Amino acid sequence: MARITASLYTSHIPAVGAAFDLGKTREDYWKPVFAGYDFDKQWMKTHKPDVIVAVYNDHATAFSLAMIPTFAIMTGPEFNPADEGYGARPVPTVMGDPELASHIASDVIQQDFDLTMVNEIDVDHGLTVPLSCVFGEVKAWPCRIIPFAVNVVQHPVPSGARCLALGRAIGRAIMSYPEDINVHIWGTGGMSHQLQGPRAGLINKEWDNKFLDRLIDDPEGLSKTPNIEYVREAGSESIELVMWLVARGAMADVVAGGAKPKVAHRFYHVPASNTAVGHLILENAS
Amino acid sequence: MALDKAFTEIPGTTVFDAEQSRKGYWLNQFCMSLMKAENRARFKADERLYLDEWKMSEEQKQAVLARDLNRCIELGGNIYFLAKIGATDGKSFQQMAGSMTGMTEHEYRDMMIKGGRKIEGNRRIGEDGDAQRPRKDA
């Protein structure tokens, strides 16, 4: 049967992708940001997944106001990096896993989450920046990737509690997949940032770090944080952090009352452009 | 069910909800059109002519022509859509965000390097933080 061995959490800042693509990773401004992902390159050597379910959001790239799905799973075979107005990022095509994705969709819908299924879509920085941070510069991504989009652009966006419960449902779905494969689930976005209005540039380090503490130790309690608190305390765009709860919900302790995950890596840095960078890797007990 | 009223009580912040989305529908969809190179070229060649092809209000068109992002947001724009105008102009997200704060580009970048804008005084309208004034004057 398929196993979920780890979850990974990271910001997905577009400027980080630009710095990566323009070869600026060794500049003084960017060096400490990318240093936070050095650990990943070693860790991946011994923990390489067969498939990643990557929870991200589309930033008015593939989904305009013409359609706004709350939860969308990408069931197609491949997804190209999107042109977001600056030209497409020069990174590999994302290869999906239509069989596992369809299994997850079918199982999760029968657990009463009404997912949208998407077969053709270009993926934006929300998905490709985390891949660059974790895997570095590669000719092909080293595993299959199932993008899973959450609406965090137009309010109301789903609550933390709903996202945690969704993660639990995805976890159950993956564990019932008959193939013996290693699956990781990623939550992306955040942390503190506000990109609009006179309050732009807001960073709340204390709140972010408490979020990381509680994500590790008390995901159920953290999931009850109302959406208004993210917006007020950590900036309007920090609401992306609800997506981290989807990934956390798929870990063994939340899905099946298993053991608490082990913290393999934790990193926090301010700033990258307008944003606080957070990064965490949690491992399930084997 | 409407959103919690508390969403309207944060200084210097507009929450993009269904009402804003309706108000800004064509403004935001115009922005989406700028993801195509050929549309960017047409827009740059004659901004007014291009804007007149869209069912936007005159106020929205003026706000775009003036690159007044705060006004665009007030009129229903969302930053992820408005960012396409910035991309067309060759601006980064940091330049766009900074332009809404009343700070110079250098001051804003400096503030971020020093740890960003503080939350103290900026949680609710009427407190004494640095994000309060522009909103109250508006």
Side-chain angles (χ1 to χ4, degrees):
Chain A
M1 301 297 262
R3 295 155 287 127
I4 300 172
T5 56
S7 53
L8 184 152
Y9 310 81
T10 176
S11 307
H12 60 213
I13 304 150
V16 170
F20 188 87
D21 299 340
L22 300 171
K24 294 182 178 175
T25 57
R26 288 173 196 281
E27 288 183 5
D28 286 348
Y29 184 91
W30 291 109
K31 226 154 106 183
V33 174
F34 288 96
Y37 296 86
D38 284 347
F39 174 87
D40 300 47
K41 318 290 183 295
Q42 285 306 314
W43 184 80
M44 274 295 174
K45 284 182 186 163
T46 47
H47 294 80
K48 198 176 92 62
D50 298 299
V51 187
I52 296 165
V53 176
V55 183
Y56 81 111
N57 68 288
D58 178 88
H59 302 77
T61 304
F63 298 136
S64 67
L65 293 185
M67 52 185 116
I68 309 164
T70 295
F71 295 124
I73 185 166
M74 312 318 178
T75 44
E78 58 180 68
F79 313 98
N80 287 318
D83 179 351
E84 300 176 51
Y86 305 90
R89 290 195 62 217
V91 293
T93 296
V94 170
M95 304 309 290
D97 187 331
E99 279 178 48
L100 176 58
S102 303
H103 168 84
I104 293 172
S106 157
D107 198 288
V108 167
I109 289 169
Q110 291 178 78
Q111 294 182 60
D112 291 335
F113 284 87
D114 307 316
L115 305 186
T116 298
M117 285 162 280
V118 177
N119 288 314
E120 292 182 37
I121 189 169
D122 289 347
V123 288
D124 75 10
H125 69 268
L127 188 84
T128 63
V129 168
L131 291 170
S132 293
C133 287
V134 172
F135 295 118
E137 202 177 335
V138 290
K139 287 209 170 62
W141 303 122
C143 59
R144 300 186 295 280
I145 296 150
I146 300 174
F148 190 110
V150 178
N151 163 45
V152 288
V153 173
Q154 181 173 320
H155 291 260
V157 314
S159 67
R162 187 70 176 150
C163 287
L164 190 81
L166 170 66
R168 191 184 284 125
I170 293 172
R172 284 188 192 128
I174 292 169
M175 290 190 307
S176 72
Y177 191 62
E179 274 186 55
D180 180 26
I181 53 170
N182 178 10
V183 181
H184 288 183
I185 182 159
W186 291 13
T188 73
M191 298 186 81
S192 279
H193 65 309
Q194 172 150 341
L195 304 176
Q196 53 130 337
R199 206 172 74 130
L202 184 87
I203 299 285
N204 191 338
K205 284 186 194 178
E206 201 188 333
W207 192 90
D208 283 347
N209 277 289
K210 203 183 275 178
F211 183 93
L212 291 171
D213 292 343
R214 295 185 74 199
L215 188 75
I216 296 164
D217 294 327
D218 179 26
E220 297 277 358
L222 178 63
S223 77
K224 295 186 176 73
T225 303
N227 286 2
I228 177 69
E229 188 182 315
Y230 293 80
V231 177
R232 186 197 290 127
E233 294 294 326
S236 47
E237 278 62 51
S238 78
I239 191 66
E240 291 175 344
L241 285 169
V242 295
M243 295 187 289
W244 292 31
L245 285 158
V246 179
R248 187 64 183 88
M251 294 298 280
D253 57 334
V254 182
V255 176
K260 287 262 174 213
K262 177 188 142 194
V263 181
H265 183 54
R266 177 173 174 164
F267 173 70
Y268 184 77
H269 174 79
V270 177
S273 186
N274 306 286
T275 307
V277 184
H279 178 35
L280 196 63
I281 299 178
L282 301 182
E283 292 172 16
N284 269 335
S286 50
Chain B
M1 189 171 80
L3 282 184
D4 185 338
K5 188 167 159 283
F7 278 103
T8 63
E9 293 166 350
I10 304 169
T13 305
T14 305
V15 170
F16 187 70
D17 60 4
E19 192 184 333
Q20 287 300 103
S21 180
R22 273 198 303 279
K23 213 199 291 183
Y25 190 83
W26 289 112
L27 167 59
N28 290 314
Q29 295 300 74
F30 143 74
C31 292
M32 286 306 286
S33 77
L34 297 179
M35 288 176 73
K36 288 205 175 99
E38 114 196 28
N39 290 338
R40 289 196 288 273
R42 282 182 52 227
F43 174 65
K44 279 195 218 172
D46 189 335
E47 297 195 1
R48 179 75 219 195
L49 190 71
Y50 189 82
L51 286 169
D52 283 340
E53 293 171 15
W54 295 86
K55 288 184 257 177
M56 294 159 61
S57 70
E58 182 57 28
E59 284 171 306
Q60 289 172 331
K61 292 177 190 175
Q62 290 300 334
V64 171
L65 291 169
R67 301 295 192 271
D68 183 343
L69 295 184
N70 279 326
R71 183 80 176 129
C72 287
I73 285 173
E74 195 185 327
L75 297 170
N78 170 275
I79 187 57
Y80 292 123
F81 291 82
L82 298 170
K84 320 305 182 205
I85 305 174
T88 301
D89 291 339
K91 300 254 190 239
S92 70
F93 246 107
Q94 186 167 56
Q95 289 169 318
M96 286 183 257
S99 81
M100 290 180 267
T101 63
M103 305 169 86
T104 66
E105 196 180 321
H106 182 80
E107 285 167 345
Y108 183 83
R109 187 179 159 93
D110 226 43
M111 173 181 80
M112 293 317 299
I113 288 170
K114 288 182 180 141
R117 186 183 304 285
K118 302 275 177 282
I119 183 67
E120 287 74 29
N122 288 325
R123 288 185 170 91
R124 289 173 184 81
I125 289 173
E127 295 177 344
D128 60 353
D130 57 3
Q132 295 277 341
R133 209 161 56 82
R135 171 67 177 257
K136 277 198 281 188
D137 289 349

